[in-house]
Amino acid sequence: MRKVMIAANWKMNTTPREAQTLVSQLLPALDGITGVEVLLCPPFISTVVVSELIKNSGVRLGAQNTYFEDKGAFTGEISPAMLAGMCQYVLLGHSERRGLFGESNQIVNRKIKAAAKHALNPVLCVGESLEDNDAGRTEDVLGAQLRQSLEGISIAEARGLVVAYEPIWAIGTGRAAGGAQANVTIGMLRRTLAGIFDEATAASVRILYGGSANGANIAEFVSQPEIDGALVGGASLKADEFVSMVKQASTAKG
Ligand code: PEP
């Protein structure tokens, strides 16, 4: 049984003080909601303050990125060794990292291996562009992203893996995919995972939908059999809306 996850990607938003305020609004409102794992991914600079605030709650902490070396002359980078113990998850391969910062599947692969070494569960983001979608290349693009990003990852390492399917054309655009359409694509991703690992591993990996998910459409996604939750950008910055999404997700599987 895969536990539903609702993950908040705050991206490059919130000062540490604003992060503190947002968490203090979320925690009492999330208290008592069962059946959903809530993951907050604040900017690096707020990792410490958020980890202190959530330490007695069931809320999980994630980083938005990591480098693949443990330490050294890598100015401006944060290592998995620094995040370990504080974060349980790390977003890797987000389309903004791929598109704006040139991260290839090979770099994402190195990061996944480094995260696994430090017991950080990767949330591997994959997604196709509008052009690829229109040209019918979605399956090929997503398959290559999964296979190349996960090359050399063992079944044991894959145990904590979460995949987020985020069509690039749906991120931050207000143009979400349809629930049924996302369910078909995510089912295809699960079959690809079965080919890379095995059926049991594929059946255990949570696959989230991401891309303009909000309070009005979350139930449409989470009620789908293949969709195990959502990675939420813009709507996760509004406490009331995010809490409403978590509440809806807690009952959406029926
Ligand atoms: C994201 O960046 O992971 C995302 C899904 O953003 P948004 O919800 O704003 O589309």
Side-chain angles (χ1 to χ4, degrees), residues 183-204:
N183 189 61
V184 168
T185 307
I186 287 177
M188 183 270 290
L189 292 177
R190 204 175 294 290
R191 285 193 298 281
T192 306
L193 287 176
I196 297 171
F197 300 111
D198 57 25
E199 292 287 345
T201 305
S204 71

Side-chain angles (χ1 to χ4, degrees), residues 146-218:
L146 274 188
R147 273 187 289 274
Q148 291 173 22
S149 301
L150 294 171
E151 200 178 315
I153 307 288
S154 68
I155 287 176
E157 284 172 324
R159 208 161 283 144
L161 175 72
V162 176
V163 172
Y165 167 54
E166 301 204 299
I168 296 169
W169 44 270
I171 296 181
T173 58
R175 185 187 156 190
Q181 182 192 356
N183 189 61
V184 168
T185 307
I186 287 177
M188 183 270 290
L189 292 177
R190 204 175 294 290
R191 285 193 298 281
T192 306
L193 287 176
I196 297 171
F197 300 111
D198 57 25
E199 292 287 345
T201 305
S204 71
V205 169
R206 285 177 292 183
I207 310 183
L208 315 180
Y209 167 78
S212 299
N214 57 39
N217 61 23
I218 188 69

Side-chain angles (χ1 to χ4, degrees), residues 9 11 91 94 96 125 166 170-174 210-213 231-235:
N9 175 13
K11 309 194 187 193
L91 306 184
H94 191 281
E96 286 152 16
C125 305
E166 301 204 299
I171 296 181
T173 58
S212 299
L231 177 54
V232 187

Side-chain angles (χ1 to χ4, degrees), residues 105-152:
N105 290 322
Q106 288 67 32
I107 290 175
V108 175
N109 178 254
R110 293 183 74 177
K111 292 185 171 191
I112 291 176
K113 287 176 177 161
K117 198 173 104 191
H118 291 281
L120 288 168
N121 298 315
V123 179
L124 168 61
C125 305
V126 295
E128 82 286 2
S129 66
L130 187 58
E131 195 189 352
D132 286 330
N133 186 283
D134 288 347
R137 290 192 293 261
T138 299
E139 187 163 348
D140 288 348
V141 169
L142 299 179
Q145 286 177 344
L146 274 188
R147 273 187 289 274
Q148 291 173 22
S149 301
L150 294 171
E151 200 178 315

Side-chain angles (χ1 to χ4, degrees), residues 23-165:
V23 175
S24 59
Q25 289 166 344
L26 290 173
L27 287 183
L30 291 171
D31 195 33
I33 305 175
T34 55
V36 181
E37 185 171 22
V38 176
L39 172 64
L40 303 181
C41 302
F44 280 136
I45 196 165
S46 297
T47 307
V48 177
V49 69
V50 174
S51 87
E52 277 301 308
L53 288 169
I54 66 174
K55 71 176 174 221
N56 296 320
S57 74
V59 173
R60 303 305 191 98
L61 185 60
Q64 295 177 18
N65 184 26
T66 189
Y67 195 55
F68 46 72
E69 299 287 355
D70 280 355
K71 61 179 176 178
F74 304 103
T75 302
E77 292 294 326
I78 299 279
S79 81
M82 296 169 183
L83 299 168
M86 228 181 324
C87 295
Q88 295 79 46
Y89 292 90
V90 57
L91 306 184
L92 292 172
H94 191 281
S95 62
E96 286 152 16
R97 299 295 320 167
R98 294 175 187 268
L100 299 172
F101 302 100
E103 286 193 14
S104 62
N105 290 322
Q106 288 67 32
I107 290 175
V108 175
N109 178 254
R110 293 183 74 177
K111 292 185 171 191
I112 291 176
K113 287 176 177 161
K117 198 173 104 191
H118 291 281
L120 288 168
N121 298 315
V123 179
L124 168 61
C125 305
V126 295
E128 82 286 2
S129 66
L130 187 58
E131 195 189 352
D132 286 330
N133 186 283
D134 288 347
R137 290 192 293 261
T138 299
E139 187 163 348
D140 288 348
V141 169
L142 299 179
Q145 286 177 344
L146 274 188
R147 273 187 289 274
Q148 291 173 22
S149 301
L150 294 171
E151 200 178 315
I153 307 288
S154 68
I155 287 176
E157 284 172 324
R159 208 161 283 144
L161 175 72
V162 176
V163 172
Y165 167 54

